[in-house]
Structure formats: structure tokens, C-alpha cells
Amino acid sequence: MGELVKALLPWEDPDGFLGGLPAGVETQYYAGGEPPALDAVEFYVPSYMGSSEVIEVVAAMPALKVIQTQTAGFENLLPHLRDGVTLCNARGVHDASTAELAVGLILASYRRLARAVRNQEHGEWPSSYQELDDSLADRTVLILGYGSIGEALERRLDGFECDITRVARRGREGVHPITDLPELLPRADVVVLLTPATDETRGMVDAKFLAQLKDGALLVNVARGVVVDTDALLAELATERISAAVDVTDPEPLPAGHPLWSAPNILINPHRGGASTAFAPRVARLVRAQLERYVTGVPLINVVAGPPR
């Protein structure tokens, strides 16, 4: 490591954004387009939700030691990760935003807010409805992929008078293992997906999974689109037996004319789970802390691939 660590950052004023740079760090700006000289870059933060070029550019950084994402997901970087490079994700940065959105999707679906928006657009005040809105009170919410975001979601659900079922890949005290799903799914009124996209979870929510949901269940996907088998979801939605509220889809972006757009009982949000005012201060704290750790030799946190550093 040289006297100055060269970091490639996606902010034109990194000192201002991060609230001060650690001593020993020299920065360059890159958020896409023609990159600057990259030979000496050791620490790289790709722009948030950037195009493929901000990922592929890592091949032009021979001195690269660390990639720090601004997202919890990191699967798109793995094919570009060479030996000796440490990959860190943004675990914790999106907890507040994603948990808030999950609650919002549940409430919007249960209280039929999309219908209220359509009525407002047409200036209509229905004299009465034939059915009552659903309430989150007295319901069972199953959180699948119970990690830091799941904990944040549970904190926000506290006070809604609902019951929480926690499920993770490996069971622990108070958290069911994923092998318990056949027993748990038929009891759940709401299933919130928070699993990462891995070979194990890809297509996990398939026809068999969906068939185990009770009539009237709500599926909320704030994880990754590929966790859900889109064809299987479309088949279930067509029966109007269950409903869904999703922040992510497969494919994504969802093309015009795709059958999900017109499927019954679905609310689609265009992948905005982390895009709130809560994002910037949390990612700034993480990146500054990681830079400080790197230049002082303290082990990095959130390492998801490559050697510990």
C-alpha cells in the first residue's frame, strides 16, 4: 500500500458527501462514461444502480484491492471479481428504506390505495364498497430471509398488532430454518421476501411454494426479482386466489406489454426499495468508515467475497 491510497468514488465532492475524507486518501471521480487514469486505484465504490460499464471498468484497475458496493446485493459483481480483490456489500445501508417500503406495500395492498388513486384521478367518490378493506392487525407476517433488513422490518411492524414468523436459511433461536416452510407457509397471511439472489434462492418461489399459501395471502417481494418464478406467479394471480406487491421483477426493467403489468391483484413498484432520503447518510457513513479501516489496517466489515482485508 502506497503513502496515499487512491480511491475511485462516484461523488464529485467526496469530501462534502462523506463528511471529510480520512487522512491518506486521494480520490478520483467516476460515475460512468470515459474513466480517468485507473492504474493506481486500490479502493473502488461503483455508482449506485449504475450501468454495466461501472462494473466492467474494474478490469482496467490492476492495483485494485477493494470494491465497496452501495447495495446489499452483489451478485452482478462476482463475475468480474479477480483473485486478490475483496468485495464488500452495503449491509445495513438499506435496512430503513427497504423495511419502510415493505410496510408501505403491505398497507397499500391491504387498504387498496391503488384503487383510491384511480378514483381520485377520475374525480370519483364511491358511495359504498361491497367489501371491507383488509387490516394488518391480527395477521401473521412471515419474513423469509431474516437478517438485518428483516429485523428492521419487524421493528416497524411492532405496533400493528400482527404476529411475526422469522425464517432464515439456517435456524437459530427465535428464527425457523428454511426447511420449516412447508409447515409455516399455509399459516401466513403475508410473506415478505428478503432473501439474496443466489443459486439456492433463484426461482425458490415457484408453483409449489405459491400453492402452499392460503387463499387471500399476500406475497411481498423486496428482495430480487429472480427469487420468484414469474410464470408461476402469473398463473396464481390469474386465479385471483392470492395477491402480490413487488419492488423487483424478473425481467427487470419490466418491459411494456409484459403480462405482469395487467395481472390482477398485483401492485408493482419500479425497484425503489433503497431510494429514499435515508440512503445517503448511511452509505456515506459506511464508505468513510471502510476507507478509514483500509488506510489504518483495521479489518473491513461486510466482506462477502475475496480475501479478508
Side-chain angles (χ1 to χ4, degrees), residues 5 18 22 25 43-45 66-69 86-91 93 282-304 309:
V5 170
L18 299 177
V25 176
F43 194 107
Y44 178 42
V45 180
V66 178
I67 302 173
Q68 171 64 62
T69 73
T86 300
L87 177 63
C88 304
N89 77 341
R91 185 180 189 273
V93 164
R282 285 162 177 77
V283 79
R285 286 195 294 268
L286 173 64
V287 172
R288 193 188 190 288
Q290 291 286 69
L291 283 168
E292 181 76 40
R293 286 171 174 270
Y294 183 68
V295 298
T296 58
V298 175
L300 299 176
I301 61 172
N302 293 359
V303 174
V304 292
R309 197 176 298 278

Side-chain angles (χ1 to χ4, degrees), residues 100-241:
E100 285 179 359
L101 179 63
V103 174
L105 289 173
I106 295 170
L107 294 176
S109 298
Y110 267 8
R111 302 311 299 264
R112 297 176 174 86
L113 297 186
R115 179 178 62 183
V117 170
R118 290 192 295 270
N119 288 339
Q120 181 180 345
E121 288 175 345
H122 295 97
E124 296 175 353
W125 186 291
S127 58
S128 66
Y129 290 117
Q130 296 302 311
E131 75 285 347
L132 296 173
D133 285 346
D134 292 316
S135 174
L136 184 49
D138 308 323
R139 301 304 177 108
T140 296
V141 179
L142 186 153
I143 301 174
L144 178 52
Y146 190 82
S148 63
I149 299 178
E151 292 171 0
L153 174 58
E154 182 172 5
R155 289 194 299 272
R156 283 154 179 81
L157 289 173
D158 185 33
F160 279 97
E161 302 177 40
C162 57
D163 296 319
I164 304 297
T165 302
R166 310 169 194 89
V167 181
R169 186 161 63 96
R170 296 187 181 91
R172 54 190 186 272
E173 186 175 356
V175 181
H176 293 271
I178 201 167
T179 51
D180 286 352
L181 278 178
E183 174 188 350
L184 299 173
L185 287 175
R187 305 176 189 172
D189 297 293
V190 182
V191 175
V192 181
L193 304 177
L194 287 171
T195 58
T198 65
D199 290 341
E200 185 179 4
T201 63
R202 189 177 299 270
M204 176 179 65
V205 181
D206 56 10
K208 180 180 178 181
F209 182 108
L210 295 170
Q212 295 175 83
L213 298 178
K214 65 167 65 173
D215 290 356
L218 171 64
L219 179 74
V220 178
N221 190 2
V222 286
R224 287 291 185 266
V226 295
V227 172
V228 177
D229 181 326
T230 300
D231 290 338
L233 178 60
L234 282 167
E236 278 289 355
L237 292 175
T239 69
E240 302 191 35
R241 192 183 69 83

Side-chain angles (χ1 to χ4, degrees), residues 39-98:
D39 289 351
V41 172
E42 295 179 45
F43 194 107
Y44 178 42
V45 180
S47 58
Y48 179 61
M49 303 296 286
S51 61
S52 59
E53 65 183 342
V54 303
I55 296 173
E56 294 165 359
V57 75
V58 301
M61 301 180 198
L64 186 65
K65 298 292 188 295
V66 178
I67 302 173
Q68 171 64 62
T69 73
Q70 299 185 65
T71 58
F74 54 87
E75 62 276 2
N76 57 336
L77 277 156
L78 290 176
H80 303 273
L81 196 68
R82 61 179 179 272
D83 289 344
V85 177
T86 300
L87 177 63
C88 304
N89 77 341
R91 185 180 189 273
V93 164
H94 299 285
D95 291 4
S97 292
T98 305

